[in-house]
Amino acid sequence: MRFHDVMDLLPALPWVLPFATLPRLARRTPSLIYVRPEAGGLVSVVIPARNESSTIATVVGSILATTYHPIELIVVDDRSTDDTAAIVERFSDPRLRLVKGERLPDGWYGKPWACLQGYRAAKGEILLFTDADTWHAPELLARAVGALQREKAGLVTVAPLQRCVTFWERVVMPQIWLLLALRYHPGAVNRARRERDVIANGQFILTTREAYEAVGTHAAVRHQVAEDLALAQAFLRHGRKLHFTFAERLMETRMYQGLSQLIEGWSKNIYLGGRRSFPHEPALRGLVPVMLIVAMLFWLLPPAVLLESAVEPRLTALAPAALLATAFAAAFWMLICHGMQIPAVYGLAYPLGALMALYIILRSTWRGGRRVEWRGRVYKR
């Protein structure tokens, strides 16, 4: 290859840089699988549920199969319009209680309100808030309680396996997951000293009643869409230790079922959650949409140049570099998909994933806090 041919390929080098993040992403420590299961006092498990008829039986059944004893399971039916409550009532287990949710007060989002009602009904000194779209391995709770005790933590949260089933889940979820994984690796969160560097996964928040009450319960984050992020920041602000750990062999979740839920869910979370992640830095808060948009444009640029070069003679010279950069990007996303237990071939469709993620970011930014939609509710400010 001649020297000028090599020089023509140099513009592709920035798309090699993402590979440097792979060692960090591949580190799966700390991991809950290595924590010894523990027994203890009563654990009250709270599931906020609104229109969860497609998933509620799975999560309830998996929690009732826990090896940890004793537990009580409280499902808060947050005024569902489907048969969520009827499905829960079919379980004949004395450990299970169904709480009929009260009317949503002004100034509250639905999930914090449902969690607070579950807490009010709970009897245990240890509380677990978990989502209706999760599956728990039998030993998950016992190991999580072991981590709570061993780490002397105020809050234990986990990173489960994100189950992606449909085409759009498999091409869009990796785009969002990568941003979160780079920003909030569990090892880094556990060492954090600033509110901007901590997070909790609302799909699994284990805490003691004493610590939960000390930080103000979910009432302290009643007006937050990303209530799990805000709650983690409240724990740190009150001097309570957080422990974030991988649990991919012990817990699974399927956040969104298909494209419409992906758009609705991430439109709700990505802009407001991104801003909340910089609670004391207004300049960075303002730049959140720009950072997210630039991240998506980075992936879209090579294939866009490649397509444009086919019809625009002035860009022909950039075609080899654009082709190489696209190949680098595709290889990177195939590795990311493999790490998420998604067939690697879906990495080849990364431009579609980045394009859809860009649309979601723009939609979320445009709506801001003025209009938030989820599970049939519309919140306006």
Side-chain angles (χ1 to χ4, degrees), residues 299-319:
W299 298 112
L300 290 169
L301 182 60
V305 171
L306 192 61
L307 288 173
E308 187 67 17
S309 68
V311 297
E312 178 54 64
R314 291 179 300 173
L315 296 177
T316 302
L318 293 175

Short mmCIF file of all heavy atoms in Angstrom, two decimals, residues 299-319:
data_model
loop_
_atom_site.label_atom_id
_atom_site.label_comp_id
_atom_site.label_asym_id
_atom_site.label_seq_id
_atom_site.Cartn_x
_atom_site.Cartn_y
_atom_site.Cartn_z
N TRP A 299 -21.36 8.00 15.66
CA TRP A 299 -21.57 6.69 15.03
C TRP A 299 -22.20 6.80 13.66
O TRP A 299 -21.97 5.96 12.78
CB TRP A 299 -22.44 5.81 15.94
CG TRP A 299 -21.81 5.54 17.26
CD1 TRP A 299 -22.21 5.98 18.48
CD2 TRP A 299 -20.62 4.77 17.50
NE1 TRP A 299 -21.37 5.55 19.46
CE2 TRP A 299 -20.38 4.79 18.89
CE3 TRP A 299 -19.75 4.06 16.67
CZ2 TRP A 299 -19.30 4.13 19.48
CZ3 TRP A 299 -18.68 3.40 17.25
CH2 TRP A 299 -18.45 3.44 18.63
N LEU A 300 -22.99 7.85 13.45
CA LEU A 300 -23.70 7.99 12.18
C LEU A 300 -22.85 8.61 11.08
O LEU A 300 -23.14 8.43 9.89
CB LEU A 300 -24.96 8.84 12.39
CG LEU A 300 -26.08 8.17 13.20
CD1 LEU A 300 -27.15 9.19 13.56
CD2 LEU A 300 -26.67 7.01 12.41
N LEU A 301 -21.81 9.33 11.44
CA LEU A 301 -21.02 10.06 10.44
C LEU A 301 -20.39 9.15 9.38
O LEU A 301 -20.54 9.43 8.18
CB LEU A 301 -19.94 10.89 11.14
CG LEU A 301 -19.07 11.75 10.21
CD1 LEU A 301 -19.91 12.74 9.42
CD2 LEU A 301 -18.00 12.49 11.02
N PRO A 302 -19.68 8.07 9.74
CA PRO A 302 -19.04 7.25 8.69
C PRO A 302 -20.02 6.67 7.67
O PRO A 302 -19.80 6.83 6.46
CB PRO A 302 -18.32 6.16 9.48
CG PRO A 302 -18.08 6.76 10.82
CD PRO A 302 -19.28 7.61 11.09
N PRO A 303 -21.11 6.01 8.10
CA PRO A 303 -22.02 5.50 7.07
C PRO A 303 -22.69 6.61 6.27
O PRO A 303 -22.99 6.43 5.08
CB PRO A 303 -23.04 4.67 7.86
CG PRO A 303 -22.92 5.13 9.27
CD PRO A 303 -21.51 5.57 9.45
N ALA A 304 -22.91 7.77 6.90
CA ALA A 304 -23.51 8.88 6.16
C ALA A 304 -22.57 9.38 5.07
O ALA A 304 -22.99 9.64 3.93
CB ALA A 304 -23.86 10.03 7.13
N VAL A 305 -21.28 9.53 5.40
CA VAL A 305 -20.29 9.95 4.41
C VAL A 305 -20.16 8.89 3.31
O VAL A 305 -20.06 9.22 2.11
CB VAL A 305 -18.92 10.20 5.07
CG1 VAL A 305 -17.84 10.43 4.02
CG2 VAL A 305 -19.01 11.40 6.00
N LEU A 306 -20.19 7.64 3.70
CA LEU A 306 -20.09 6.56 2.72
C LEU A 306 -21.25 6.60 1.73
O LEU A 306 -21.05 6.48 0.50
CB LEU A 306 -20.06 5.22 3.45
CG LEU A 306 -19.67 3.99 2.64
CD1 LEU A 306 -18.27 4.14 2.07
CD2 LEU A 306 -19.76 2.74 3.51
N LEU A 307 -22.45 6.79 2.23
CA LEU A 307 -23.62 6.88 1.34
C LEU A 307 -23.56 8.12 0.46
O LEU A 307 -23.87 8.07 -0.73
CB LEU A 307 -24.90 6.88 2.19
CG LEU A 307 -25.28 5.57 2.86
CD1 LEU A 307 -26.47 5.78 3.78
CD2 LEU A 307 -25.60 4.50 1.80
N GLU A 308 -23.16 9.24 1.06
CA GLU A 308 -23.10 10.49 0.30
C GLU A 308 -22.02 10.44 -0.78
O GLU A 308 -22.18 11.03 -1.86
CB GLU A 308 -22.84 11.66 1.26
CG GLU A 308 -22.93 13.03 0.62
CD GLU A 308 -24.34 13.38 0.17
OE1 GLU A 308 -25.30 12.72 0.63
OE2 GLU A 308 -24.47 14.31 -0.65
N SER A 309 -20.93 9.74 -0.51
CA SER A 309 -19.84 9.67 -1.49
C SER A 309 -20.26 8.92 -2.76
O SER A 309 -19.64 9.10 -3.81
CB SER A 309 -18.62 8.99 -0.87
OG SER A 309 -18.87 7.62 -0.60
N ALA A 310 -21.28 8.12 -2.64
CA ALA A 310 -21.76 7.38 -3.82
C ALA A 310 -22.46 8.28 -4.82
O ALA A 310 -22.55 7.94 -6.01
CB ALA A 310 -22.69 6.26 -3.39
N VAL A 311 -22.93 9.44 -4.37
CA VAL A 311 -23.65 10.35 -5.26
C VAL A 311 -22.98 11.71 -5.38
O VAL A 311 -23.37 12.51 -6.24
CB VAL A 311 -25.11 10.53 -4.79
CG1 VAL A 311 -25.86 9.21 -4.85
CG2 VAL A 311 -25.15 11.08 -3.37
N GLU A 312 -22.01 11.98 -4.53
CA GLU A 312 -21.34 13.28 -4.54
C GLU A 312 -19.86 13.08 -4.86
O GLU A 312 -19.09 12.62 -4.01
CB GLU A 312 -21.51 13.95 -3.19
CG GLU A 312 -20.80 15.29 -3.05
CD GLU A 312 -21.17 16.26 -4.16
OE1 GLU A 312 -22.35 16.65 -4.24
OE2 GLU A 312 -20.26 16.58 -4.97
N PRO A 313 -19.42 13.42 -6.07
CA PRO A 313 -18.02 13.18 -6.48
C PRO A 313 -17.00 13.83 -5.56
O PRO A 313 -15.91 13.30 -5.37
CB PRO A 313 -17.97 13.77 -7.89
CG PRO A 313 -19.39 13.75 -8.38
CD PRO A 313 -20.22 13.98 -7.17
N ARG A 314 -17.32 14.97 -4.96
CA ARG A 314 -16.35 15.66 -4.11
C ARG A 314 -15.99 14.85 -2.87
O ARG A 314 -14.96 15.09 -2.25
CB ARG A 314 -16.91 17.02 -3.69
CG ARG A 314 -17.02 18.04 -4.82
CD ARG A 314 -17.59 19.33 -4.32
NE ARG A 314 -18.94 19.14 -3.76
CZ ARG A 314 -19.64 20.08 -3.13
NH1 ARG A 314 -19.12 21.29 -2.97
NH2 ARG A 314 -20.84 19.82 -2.66
N LEU A 315 -16.84 13.91 -2.48
CA LEU A 315 -16.59 13.12 -1.29
C LEU A 315 -15.98 11.75 -1.60
O LEU A 315 -15.75 10.96 -0.68
CB LEU A 315 -17.89 12.92 -0.50
CG LEU A 315 -18.53 14.19 0.08
CD1 LEU A 315 -19.84 13.84 0.77
CD2 LEU A 315 -17.57 14.87 1.05
N THR A 316 -15.72 11.49 -2.86
CA THR A 316 -15.21 10.17 -3.24
C THR A 316 -13.90 9.85 -2.52
O THR A 316 -13.66 8.70 -2.13
CB THR A 316 -15.00 10.10 -4.76
OG1 THR A 316 -16.25 10.38 -5.41
CG2 THR A 316 -14.49 8.73 -5.18
N ALA A 317 -13.06 10.85 -2.35
CA ALA A 317 -11.75 10.62 -1.70
C ALA A 317 -11.91 10.15 -0.25
O ALA A 317 -11.02 9.51 0.30
CB ALA A 317 -10.91 11.88 -1.75
N LEU A 318 -13.05 10.49 0.38
CA LEU A 318 -13.27 10.09 1.76
C LEU A 318 -13.89 8.70 1.90
O LEU A 318 -13.99 8.17 3.01
CB LEU A 318 -14.19 11.10 2.46
CG LEU A 318 -13.62 12.50 2.68
CD1 LEU A 318 -14.70 13.41 3.28
CD2 LEU A 318 -12.42 12.44 3.62
N ALA A 319 -14.29 8.12 0.78
CA ALA A 319 -15.00 6.83 0.82
C ALA A 319 -14.19 5.72 1.48
O ALA A 319 -14.73 4.98 2.31
CB ALA A 319 -15.43 6.42 -0.58
#
